[in-house]
Amino acid sequence: MAAEQATDGYLFDLYRRYIGEPEDRTDVYVGFGLFLGGIGLALVGLLLFLWGNTYDARTAGYVAWVGPAYALAMTALPVTMLGIVVLLPSERRMQYASIAGVAVTIAAIIGFLVAYPGDWNGYGNDYTVPIIATYAVGLAAITASTGAALIAHYLDMAQQADAVAVEADDDDDEPELTDDEIQQDIDDAMEGVELSWGGVEKTEHKRLNFSSDDLGDVEIDTDAGTTTTRSSGVDQQVAGLKGLKGGETKQTTSSSTVDDQTAKLKELREQQRAEELATADEESATERVTKPFEGLLNRVRSLVKRD
């Protein structure tokens, strides 16, 4: 997905990135126009100067190209500096001082074009010194206003940074809670909530007790009548938490009831009794078979003793 473009255009995006939020749309357009225009004038002046040096010095072709090159170079610097002052969120008086300085430099440049080359640099009336001095005064005024605008901008940024740092320090100065205060808050929150061991309320139950003799020979399935419950959603988790608080009790019903267990025990006891009766019948049958022989032996023993 393409990045979202700034609604006000690329120039406003640059302004917000490197300077800040613009106060006036006109200042943005005029400031960037002057700044970029000054750079453009310097480049054009450089090209004219290089082309003019292809001619012999002080010839008509040389003067025709080099004179405008000097004038453009002298204009580029104050115009670029004026663009910086307009772009920065400076006071109006600084902008007025910069405009006045640019006006003085423009007057000096016009004087240069009139004097060059007949009254320039030792020729004719030689207005070189007055023109350079006038240009220097105007350039000094615009340089001072530009420097003041830059300093004011940096001071404003420093104040904003200090304000942010102070707010951060105020946030850090908030008192920290001690362990006792935290425990007190927990106790206050849990007040009125009744929980027993394991988080389950105490209930009455009927239980069956079995002796080891009755169940010695019986295998009991420990998994019978038990179910495994797994939570599969947020609703079940919430229901579990409510159960911990004592508000709701989750009941799990075994598939095997007490009556079923009692029936099984009765069946077990009847089976044991049947086995005991079968054993007794076998013993009695054995006695009936061996009893006549035991009587005959007793008689033989008595006769032998008499002899």
Side-chain angles (χ1 to χ4, degrees):
M1 181 176 179
E4 184 179 356
Q5 299 294 331
T7 56
D8 294 330
Y10 184 69
L11 294 179
F12 284 87
D13 189 16
L14 288 176
Y15 191 93
R16 292 187 181 95
R17 183 181 303 175
Y18 296 105
I19 299 177
E21 189 65 26
E23 297 179 357
D24 191 357
R25 298 175 63 89
T26 304
D27 292 342
V28 177
Y29 289 121
V30 174
F32 276 111
L34 291 173
F35 182 79
L36 297 176
I39 296 175
L41 290 175
L43 293 175
V44 173
L46 178 60
L47 293 175
L48 294 178
F49 178 78
L50 295 175
W51 183 258
N53 278 273
T54 59
Y55 295 90
D56 294 334
R58 301 192 67 83
T59 60
Y62 178 86
V63 172
W65 292 101
V66 173
Y70 286 146
L72 291 176
M74 294 171 67
T75 307
L77 182 58
V79 169
T80 302
M81 297 176 70
L82 178 61
I84 295 174
V85 175
V86 174
L87 284 174
L88 294 176
S90 57
E91 297 180 358
R92 290 295 178 184
R93 59 182 179 179
M94 294 181 184
Q95 295 182 3
Y96 295 151
S98 298
I99 293 172
V102 172
V104 173
T105 57
I106 294 298
I109 293 169
I110 293 174
F112 167 76
L113 292 175
V114 172
Y116 187 83
D119 296 322
W120 185 260
N121 195 20
Y123 294 91
N125 295 324
D126 194 5
Y127 296 114
T128 303
V129 174
I131 292 174
I132 294 298
T134 304
Y135 182 83
V137 171
L139 189 62
I142 191 173
T143 301
S145 60
T146 304
L150 288 171
I151 293 173
H153 177 61
Y154 282 118
L155 290 177
D156 187 26
M157 293 178 62
Q159 290 176 357
Q160 293 178 1
D162 292 339
V164 173
V166 170
E167 292 179 357
D169 293 338
D170 293 339
D171 295 337
D172 294 338
D173 291 340
E174 294 181 357
E176 296 182 355
L177 297 177
T178 61
D179 294 339
D180 295 336
E181 293 175 347
I182 295 174
Q183 185 63 38
Q184 183 63 36
D185 292 339
I186 295 174
D187 294 339
D188 294 340
M190 297 298 294
E191 185 177 0
V193 179
E194 297 181 358
L195 295 176
S196 62
W197 290 105
V200 181
E201 295 182 355
K202 183 178 180 181
T203 57
E204 298 294 335
H205 300 282
K206 294 182 179 180
R207 299 185 180 182
L208 297 176
N209 296 325
F210 304 99
S211 64
S212 59
D213 296 335
D214 295 337
L215 302 178
D217 299 331
V218 180
E219 295 182 357
I220 299 176
D221 187 4
T222 58
D223 294 333
T226 61
T227 58
T228 302
T229 302
R230 293 183 175 87
S231 175
S232 61
V234 178
D235 295 336
Q236 293 185 3
Q237 295 290 343
V238 174
L241 291 175
K242 290 182 180 179
L244 290 177
K245 292 184 179 180
E248 295 182 0
T249 303
K250 185 176 180 181
Q251 297 180 353
T252 302
T253 304
S254 175
S255 60
S256 178
T257 61
V258 177
D259 295 336
D260 294 338
Q261 296 291 339
T262 304
K264 291 180 179 180
L265 290 175
K266 289 180 178 180
E267 183 180 354
L268 176 62
R269 289 178 179 176
E270 291 177 357
Q271 182 180 358
Q272 289 178 347
R273 289 175 183 175
E275 291 177 356
E276 291 176 355
L277 290 175
T279 303
D281 292 339
E282 291 177 358
E283 292 177 353
S284 62
T286 303
E287 290 177 356
R288 287 194 297 269
V289 173
T290 58
K291 189 172 182 180
F293 293 100
E294 290 179 356
L296 180 60
L297 292 173
N298 291 329
R299 290 178 183 180
V300 173
R301 289 175 182 173
S302 62
L303 292 175
V304 172
K305 288 180 181 180
R306 287 178 184 178
D307 295 337

